[in-house]
């Protein structure tokens, strides 16, 4: 996989030269919508990652390192960020991916993710980024999580990270999946790795917070990795096997 944040991505050789053959049972003719019983396969040369969050961009780009298509950031194309007006992770992921696909006329992948704390009724949830607004201050956001847990006087510190990934083509085909990882809120924050709420989230069965884990270990077990595995199965698996 190649990634360029500032220059126009080079076009890759046609997929036929790379030995990638669409499954006729899974697709109509090239560029057409898949049948109702099959998801469309990703066979294109470029994929837009519809995020302006550099932490998410790094993690998602890393997941595609084994592929031979070019990943393009929404920021490098000058795409605007749409307002997240939906009421679920999947709804917001689809909203962002649809906007990027329409604006770029390329397939687009969007992520919407956040922290859901059980004792806080699932908050901050889809508002996870807004708790850090207006300047992306997740130190402040983590302090708010701890303050609200203290205020509610609950012994339940269980939480989960949730990630929705939406893949949308400009022709209108869509795939949306959701991944989760369970854990608990720890205080004070621990570790300098990761981003967002990673420093206060300790995944079940582990002694380290996401903020203390090396990136490769976190990426292998995170909510985003769980969602990516589901997306891989639905849209990319035949491509992996034909590329080997």
């Amino acid at each position: 996989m190649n990634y360029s944040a500032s220059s126009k991505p080079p076009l890759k050789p046609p997929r036929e030269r790379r030995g990638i053959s669409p499954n006729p049972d899974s697709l109509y003719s090239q560029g057409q919508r898949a049948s109702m019983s099959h998801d469309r396969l990703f066979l294109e040369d470029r994929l837009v990652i519809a995020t302006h969050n550099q932490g998410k961009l790094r993690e998602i780009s890393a997941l595609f390192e084994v592929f031979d298509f070019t990943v393009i950031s929404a920021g490098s194309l000058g795409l605007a960020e749409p307002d997240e007006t939906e009421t679920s992770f999947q709804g917001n992921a689809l909203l962002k991916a649809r906007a990027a696909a329409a604006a770029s006329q390329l397939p687009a992948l969007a992520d919407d993710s956040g922290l859901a704390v059980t004792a806080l009724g699932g908050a901050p949830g889809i508002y996870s980024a807004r708790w850090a607004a207006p300047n992306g201050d997740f130190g402040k956001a983590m302090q708010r999580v701890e303050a609200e847990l203290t205020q509610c006087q609950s012994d339940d510190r269980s939480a989960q990270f949730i990630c929705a990934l939406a893949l949308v083509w400009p022709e209108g085909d869509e795939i949306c999946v959701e991944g989760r990882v369970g854990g608990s809120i720890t205080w004070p924050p621990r570790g300098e790795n990761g981003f967002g709420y990673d420093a206060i989230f300790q995944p079940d069965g582990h002694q380290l917070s996401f903020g203390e884990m090396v990136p490769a270990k976190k990426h292998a077990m995170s909510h985003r990795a769980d969602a990516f595995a589901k997306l891989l199965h639905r849209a990319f698996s035949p491509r992996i096997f034909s590329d080997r």
Side-chain angles (χ1 to χ4, degrees):
M1 180 208 74
N2 296 318
Y3 169 68
S4 173
S6 59
S7 60
K8 184 176 180 181
L11 292 176
K12 297 295 184 67
R15 65 177 68 89
E16 291 81 3
R17 297 179 191 173
R18 299 198 301 269
I20 301 170
S21 301
N23 181 347
D25 294 329
S26 299
L27 294 174
Y28 288 127
S29 59
Q30 181 179 354
Q32 298 301 310
R33 181 180 294 274
S35 70
M36 291 298 291
S37 60
H38 296 282
D39 291 315
R40 178 169 173 173
L41 304 182
F42 182 87
L43 300 171
E44 286 74 17
D45 296 301
R46 293 181 288 174
L47 176 65
V48 176
I49 307 300
T51 183
H52 290 70
N53 181 309
Q54 293 303 307
K56 288 185 178 182
L57 179 62
R58 285 192 300 271
E59 286 197 5
I60 296 173
S61 297
L63 293 171
F64 285 111
E65 283 183 347
V66 299
F67 295 92
D68 65 344
F69 54 80
T70 299
V71 167
I72 314 165
S73 71
S76 71
L77 297 177
L79 302 184
E81 289 186 272
D83 292 332
E84 297 179 13
T85 56
E86 296 295 327
T87 58
S88 68
F89 290 111
Q90 291 197 28
N92 280 324
L94 282 165
L95 182 154
K96 291 184 281 189
R98 288 166 182 161
S104 66
Q105 286 300 295
L106 292 169
L109 179 72
D111 158 294
D112 196 60
S113 56
L115 177 69
V117 181
T118 305
L120 302 184
I126 63 170
Y127 304 109
S128 293
R130 297 182 201 180
W131 278 29
N135 301 315
D137 184 352
F138 279 95
K140 178 184 73 174
M142 289 187 285
Q143 288 176 347
R144 179 175 173 181
V145 169
E146 179 62 17
E148 296 206 7
L149 278 173
T150 300
Q151 184 176 8
C152 74
Q153 299 182 333
S154 173
D155 293 329
D156 184 0
R157 298 184 70 85
S158 64
Q160 57 183 331
F161 269 125
I162 303 171
C163 171
L165 289 176
L167 175 62
V168 174
W169 284 262
E171 296 85 2
D173 300 271
E174 298 179 345
I175 299 173
C176 192
V177 297
E178 189 171 278
R180 298 170 182 248
V181 61
S184 59
I185 300 300
T186 181
W187 194 261
R190 305 193 327 247
E192 301 294 330
N193 295 326
F195 63 98
Y197 297 89
D198 283 353
I200 62 169
F201 183 82
Q202 182 174 314
D204 290 337
H206 296 266
Q207 298 302 311
L208 301 178
S209 73
F210 269 175
E212 294 173 301
M213 288 184 180
V214 296
K217 185 173 183 179
K218 177 201 167 183
H219 295 169
M221 60 176 297
S222 72
H223 50 311
R224 194 162 289 110
D226 183 34
F228 182 73
K230 295 172 182 176
L231 182 67
L232 197 70
H233 176 73
R234 292 180 59 178
F236 294 92
S237 291
R239 181 169 190 157
I240 290 177
F241 294 125
S242 61
D243 280 350
R244 288 178 177 174

